[in-house]
Amino acid sequence: MSNYFFKFYFIIFSILILSLITSCCITGKLNLSQKEENIKEELILKNKKNAVVLIQNKINFSLTSTLTNNVVLSDKLNVSGTGFFIKEELHYNIIITVAHVCSFKLHKSMYIDNIFHTNPNMFTYSENNKILINSVFGEEPGTVIAIDYDKDLCMLITLPISNNLINISDNAPLYGQKFYSLGYPKGFWDTDYLPIFSGYYSGKYYKSDSFSIPTHFGCSGSPILNNTGELVGITKGFLDFNNVTLSPLYADIKYFISKKLTEDEVNNYLLKLWEQKLELN
């Protein structure tokens, strides 16, 4: 009888030991896998740092009365936002950001209402811009080549700056997936500084993709990236609290960045950029 109990407890003990060893091996592999995944993400985000830029836009705008044809107001604004390189050619780079960084036109109705308390259609609006791109490679002028006020998207062209690009993902974001945003809140910028925010895709909200990613003024135009460094969204605003970021829809972004330039368009834009560069110097 004693031999029987001894064998029984020995078998039970052996099973427990084997289970413990197996569990430790699995846990160790999972921890190692997670560490490797974290290191991979860190390297990807680090490599994308130089693809993100600060955009400074000096806007001069005026309002002209449609009744008297007289200029009733002129003003200046300094706007800052974030953008990123998405295309490189021999003689130029393409940068993507949001429309309200490139133009004040989206806010003109609210501005007119606050100042004049009247119908914005009583005025015609005009503006001219001086856009500067700050990157780790220096400062260059930029020019708007495409803008979609409805989707809040803007495309800029600059003289060649960087071959570090952000490409769009083949896949739209899915609910619960984790993503990262790189941007310059309040326009704080330095060559060695770029805040990284993270959060989860939360679904569509009023014709926008939403992410539980912290954001602030100045982050408009920030790329929202998956864990392989590909673009899935662009920060365009936030809700009443700063921990929900809104983005143009993935499909709208993908369509917008597919715009092609003709050779004549490129040459005209490059001529304008060189004129602006000479003014800077």
Side-chain angles (χ1 to χ4, degrees), residues 230-242:
E230 295 173 317
L231 184 74
V232 298
I234 303 171
T235 299
K236 71 172 184 178
F238 51 86
L239 298 181
D240 290 341
F241 44 96
N242 294 5

Side-chain angles (χ1 to χ4, degrees), residues 179-181 197-200 211-215 224 242-245:
F179 296 99
Y180 302 88
S181 177
F197 306 97
S198 65
Y200 298 88
F211 301 81
S212 60
I213 296 176
T215 191
I224 299 173
N242 294 5
N243 282 345
V244 174
T245 291

Side-chain angles (χ1 to χ4, degrees), residues 36 47-48 56 61 64-65 74-75 82 91 99 135 148 152 171 173 192-193 206 211 219-220 230 238 240-241 274:
E36 290 174 345
N47 289 337
K48 295 304 177 184
Q56 299 181 81
F61 72 92
T64 302
S65 170
S74 59
D75 206 348
T82 305
H91 300 296
S135 74
D148 187 328
D152 201 0
N171 302 308
D192 293 323
Y193 172 78
Y206 284 98
F211 301 81
C219 287
S220 292
E230 295 173 317
F238 51 86
D240 290 341
F241 44 96
W274 277 110

Side-chain angles (χ1 to χ4, degrees), residues 99 102 143-148 153-156 256 259 261 269:
C102 295
T143 294
V144 175
I145 59 175
I147 193 163
D148 187 328
L153 289 165
C154 178
M155 185 181 291
L156 300 163
F256 182 78
K259 175 181 171 61
L261 292 175
Y269 286 128

Side-chain angles (χ1 to χ4, degrees), residues 14-236:
S14 299
I15 291 172
L16 288 174
I17 293 297
L18 286 172
S19 298
L20 182 61
I21 293 171
T22 303
S23 176
C24 289
C25 289
I26 293 173
T27 302
K29 286 181 179 179
L30 287 174
N31 289 338
L32 181 60
S33 176
Q34 186 61 52
K35 287 179 181 178
E36 290 174 345
E37 189 66 28
N38 290 341
I39 292 171
K40 179 183 175 183
E41 289 181 2
E42 288 172 11
L43 290 173
I44 288 169
L45 292 172
K46 185 177 180 180
N47 289 337
K48 295 304 177 184
K49 177 179 179 294
N50 291 349
V52 182
V53 300
L54 174 73
I55 299 172
Q56 299 181 81
N57 188 3
K58 296 180 179 179
I59 303 173
N60 295 315
F61 72 92
S62 63
L63 298 173
T64 302
S65 170
T66 56
L67 297 175
T68 65
N69 207 32
N70 293 326
V71 175
V72 295
L73 177 69
S74 59
D75 206 348
K76 297 179 180 180
L77 289 171
N78 292 321
V79 176
S80 69
T82 305
F84 53 94
F85 297 110
I86 202 160
K87 185 177 181 180
E88 176 204 22
E89 295 291 348
L90 180 61
H91 300 296
Y92 64 91
N93 276 131
I94 297 295
I95 291 173
I96 298 295
T97 185
V98 288
H100 67 265
V101 169
C102 295
S103 172
F104 187 62
K105 188 176 180 179
L106 279 172
H107 303 291
K108 69 169 186 173
S109 296
M110 182 175 62
Y111 186 88
I112 292 170
D113 183 58
N114 289 338
I115 299 295
F116 297 102
H117 307 290
T118 189
N119 189 337
N121 294 328
M122 299 292 292
F123 304 92
T124 57
Y125 173 85
S126 63
E127 70 177 24
N128 60 73
N129 311 62
K130 183 178 285 187
I131 296 175
L132 293 177
I133 309 298
N134 289 98
S135 74
V136 295
F137 307 102
E139 186 179 73
E140 289 287 347
T143 294
V144 175
I145 59 175
I147 193 163
D148 187 328
Y149 293 106
D150 181 50
K151 303 297 189 296
D152 201 0
L153 289 165
C154 178
M155 185 181 291
L156 300 163
I157 187 171
T158 71
L159 297 172
I161 302 174
S162 173
N163 61 0
N164 199 324
L165 310 176
I166 292 176
N167 299 314
I168 191 161
S169 171
D170 290 330
N171 302 308
L174 297 176
Y175 185 83
Q177 285 184 324
K178 188 175 183 179
F179 296 99
Y180 302 88
S181 177
L182 311 177
Y184 295 105
K186 290 192 171 182
F188 296 145
W189 181 86
D190 198 282
T191 53
D192 293 323
Y193 172 78
L194 179 60
I196 302 172
F197 306 97
S198 65
Y200 298 88
Y201 180 64
S202 307
K204 292 180 173 59
Y205 182 82
Y206 284 98
K207 298 181 180 180
S208 300
D209 282 331
S210 66
F211 301 81
S212 60
I213 296 176
T215 191
H216 207 284
F217 299 108
C219 287
S220 292
S222 299
I224 299 173
L225 309 176
N226 60 20
N227 61 1
T228 58
E230 295 173 317
L231 184 74
V232 298
I234 303 171
T235 299
K236 71 172 184 178

Side-chain angles (χ1 to χ4, degrees), residues 262-279:
T262 67
E263 186 175 347
D264 286 342
E265 286 176 323
V266 170
N267 290 335
N268 289 334
Y269 286 128
L270 290 178
L271 180 61
K272 184 177 180 180
L273 286 170
W274 277 110
E275 290 173 351
Q276 291 175 345
K277 189 174 178 70
L278 289 174
E279 289 178 8

